[in-house]
Amino acid sequence: MLPLTPIREESVNGIAKSIDATLGDWGDAPAFLQVNHARGTNSVRADEFSRQILATANQLSAWGIRERQLVPIFLGNSTDFIVVFLSLIRI
């Protein structure tokens, strides 16, 4: 097995800043579509998506999640996974 190479902090910060800048540029344009068999398809605006990421990051921090902690994510292939993953990058 190959050894794990640590990710440099500036790389993670750069990713978060790039995502913030891109979502800011998109404004209220759709960022993606959510497809739910029971409820149909709806679009999520970039500004709404950005707020979800920030709110989730704040909640994770309030629960005691800190930088460099390992956090298991047990979510399916969904928009929830994207929100949680990008929120963890912000911490």
Side-chain angles (χ1 to χ4, degrees):
M1 178 180 274
L2 295 174
L4 294 176
T5 304
I7 298 173
R8 295 187 352 220
E9 185 175 336
E10 55 270 11
S11 297
V12 174
N13 290 336
I15 292 168
K17 288 178 184 176
S18 293
I19 291 168
D20 290 345
T22 300
L23 290 174
D25 289 345
W26 288 359
D28 63 353
F32 56 85
L33 297 175
Q34 287 182 310
V35 179
N36 182 304
H37 296 291
R39 293 180 287 180
T41 302
N42 68 311
S43 64
V44 177
R45 296 186 331 256
D47 56 351
E48 179 184 345
F49 183 49
S50 185
R51 282 193 297 275
Q52 288 176 355
I53 294 168
L54 184 58
T56 303
N58 288 337
Q59 183 60 59
L60 292 169
S61 292
W63 287 338
I65 303 297
R66 298 291 177 252
E67 183 179 351
R68 300 195 182 276
Q69 282 184 313
L70 297 178
V71 179
I73 303 175
F74 298 100
L75 294 169
N77 186 11
S78 67
T79 55
D80 292 336
F81 177 87
I82 299 167
V83 170
V84 171
F85 180 79
L86 295 177
S87 298
L88 288 168
I89 289 176
R90 295 185 65 89
I91 296 175

